Amino acid sequence: MTEGAVPIDVDRLSGIDPAAADQQLNDKVGMQLIEATAERVIGTIPVEGNLQPYGLLHGGANAVLAEALGSTVAALNAGPGRAAMGLELSCTHHRAVRTGKVTGVATPLHVGRGTITAEIVLTDDEGRRTCTARLTCVVRDRPPGS
């Protein structure tokens, strides 16, 4: 963990319903959160287990990682009593990946009262950019008791 990073309390960030706790897509793709601050969220997924038929990392796996990291940075910026939910995701796949892991770094581009937009840059083990994504989340007040 880098200086200034805090331990990640995923349940606090996401408000995961206990009935859905063992059904999280992030777990199924092998995602690991490395760092989570309001300024930057970092996570990884393995290529193995997330392939498309030609032996390359599936573009949908890139999208899962991008949405998870971007949503987390949005949640950290939403403020107390507020929830951030994905509204639009755009992914540009630059380079194929066959082995190793992909690392994503999400940073906020716009933090407003109603929307938060994040840029997510994915790189391979050699540090080469493999995908650039942009996620916009809508921010709403959490219902009482949630």
Side-chain angles (χ1 to χ4, degrees), residues 22-82:
D22 64 346
Q23 300 179 52
Q24 300 303 299
L25 182 57
N26 297 346
D27 295 335
K28 298 200 183 311
V29 298
M31 190 182 96
Q32 293 190 346
L33 282 176
I34 307 301
E35 176 182 319
T37 67
E39 295 78 31
R40 180 174 74 178
V41 174
I42 302 172
T44 65
I45 60 169
V47 174
E48 184 178 344
N50 292 309
L51 301 178
Q52 44 92 307
Y54 299 113
L56 308 172
L57 178 67
H58 196 290
N62 280 337
V64 168
L65 179 60
E67 176 119 11
L69 300 179
S71 293
T72 302
V73 85
L76 289 167
N77 280 281
R82 310 270 289 157

Side-chain angles (χ1 to χ4, degrees), residues 90-144:
S90 169
C91 298
T92 301
H93 307 287
H94 306 294
R95 170 185 296 276
V97 184
R98 290 185 179 275
T99 61
K101 69 177 187 265
V102 173
T103 300
V105 179
T107 55
L109 295 175
H110 163 78
V111 177
R113 178 163 165 72
T115 61
I116 296 173
T117 300
E119 177 183 57
I120 307 93
V121 174
L122 306 183
T123 57
D124 63 14
D125 287 335
E126 285 77 45
R128 299 175 296 193
R129 187 180 292 228
T130 61
C131 178
T132 302
R134 186 165 136 161
L135 174 70
T136 297
C137 291
V138 63
V139 180
R140 298 286 184 252
D141 290 332
R142 283 186 183 265

